[in-house]
Each structure stands twice: as C-alpha cells, then as structure tokens.
Amino acid sequence: MAGTTKANDFEDMLPMMANKLGGDGLIRELCNGFRLLMDKERGVITFESLKKNSALLGLQNLRDDELMSMLREGDLNGDGHLDQMEFCVLMFRLSPQLMEESQDLLEIALQHELKR
C-alpha cells in the first residue's frame, strides 16, 4: 500500500544504515530515534509518547496493541517503559539481518581469541 510503513520496511533500513554510517553512526541515529519517541519530561519511551510520536518514524499505522507489544518486547527490566539502551537493543532485535551479522562477527572474534 502506498503511504504505509510496516515494521519490515524499518528492519530493512537498519543494515543499510549500519553499512552507510558505521557502528558509531548507527548508534547515534538510534539515539536520535529514541529522543524523537521519548517522553521529554521522563526521559523514557512510554506507551503515550510512542503513540504520540510514532508518526515521526513512519509508524503511524501501528495499532495500540502493536505499540504495546513493542514496549513489552523491549522492556527488559519490566518497568513499563523503554530507556535508551532497551530501545537500541529492541531495534537490533527487530532487524534479523543485523542480528545475524552481529552473530557472525562474534563468532569470528571468538575463533580469533581461541587461536591465541
């Protein structure tokens, strides 16, 4: 559909961003995304701030239950919202290609260390 953005569209962009910006640049961009979505007073992403600001990232078509599911999936410490680290981890988890590339790099590093 024209004009709609699905989670898959965003997933496909992360590896491209990583290749273009490098690791540090990608983290900077993820931090910028976090700041766009966060509740400015609390410094975290809440359901309300996610719902209010999701259109800024092209996610305006997500239903409330999908937004809540994203929050629950990313909420590693169970406090009901996402801090910056939880948001970055969630974005990597939502990108299977980046996760695969990260796993490959980890395996290469481990093999290198084992040869020492």
Side-chain angles (χ1 to χ4, degrees):
M1 278 185 189
T4 62
T5 301
K6 295 177 250 165
N8 292 3
D9 297 334
F10 186 67
E11 288 172 13
D12 292 340
M13 291 177 65
L14 279 179
M16 180 186 68
M17 289 173 60
N19 288 334
K20 182 177 179 183
L21 302 173
D24 291 341
L26 177 61
I27 295 299
R28 268 193 308 279
E29 286 305 309
L30 287 174
C31 291
N32 288 338
F34 173 80
R35 284 190 288 280
L36 285 174
L37 295 173
M38 77 176 188
D39 177 311
K40 305 301 185 237
E41 292 177 13
R42 297 180 63 193
V44 294
I45 296 174
T46 63
F47 172 75
E48 294 78 17
S49 70
L50 183 58
K51 184 173 178 162
K52 176 182 171 188
N53 299 318
S54 60
L56 296 172
L57 296 179
L59 303 174
Q60 66 273 9
N61 294 322
L62 292 178
R63 300 183 318 262
D64 286 359
D65 63 317
E66 293 172 315
L67 294 173
M68 206 56 200
S69 179
M70 280 179 64
L71 274 176
R72 277 193 298 271
E73 184 176 343
D75 184 14
L76 301 175
N77 63 9
D79 61 6
H81 55 261
L82 301 179
D83 60 32
Q84 187 168 302
M85 182 58 69
E86 289 171 325
F87 174 77
C88 289
V89 169
L90 178 63
M91 292 300 99
F92 273 86
R93 288 177 55 205
L94 291 176
S95 178
Q97 184 178 347
L98 271 184
M99 287 298 291
E100 186 177 303
E101 289 173 10
S102 297
Q103 185 175 353
D104 291 345
L105 290 174
L106 178 61
E107 287 176 14
I108 291 168
L110 287 173
Q111 289 173 2
H112 178 60
E113 285 299 313
L114 291 174
K115 289 179 183 177
R116 292 175 124 192

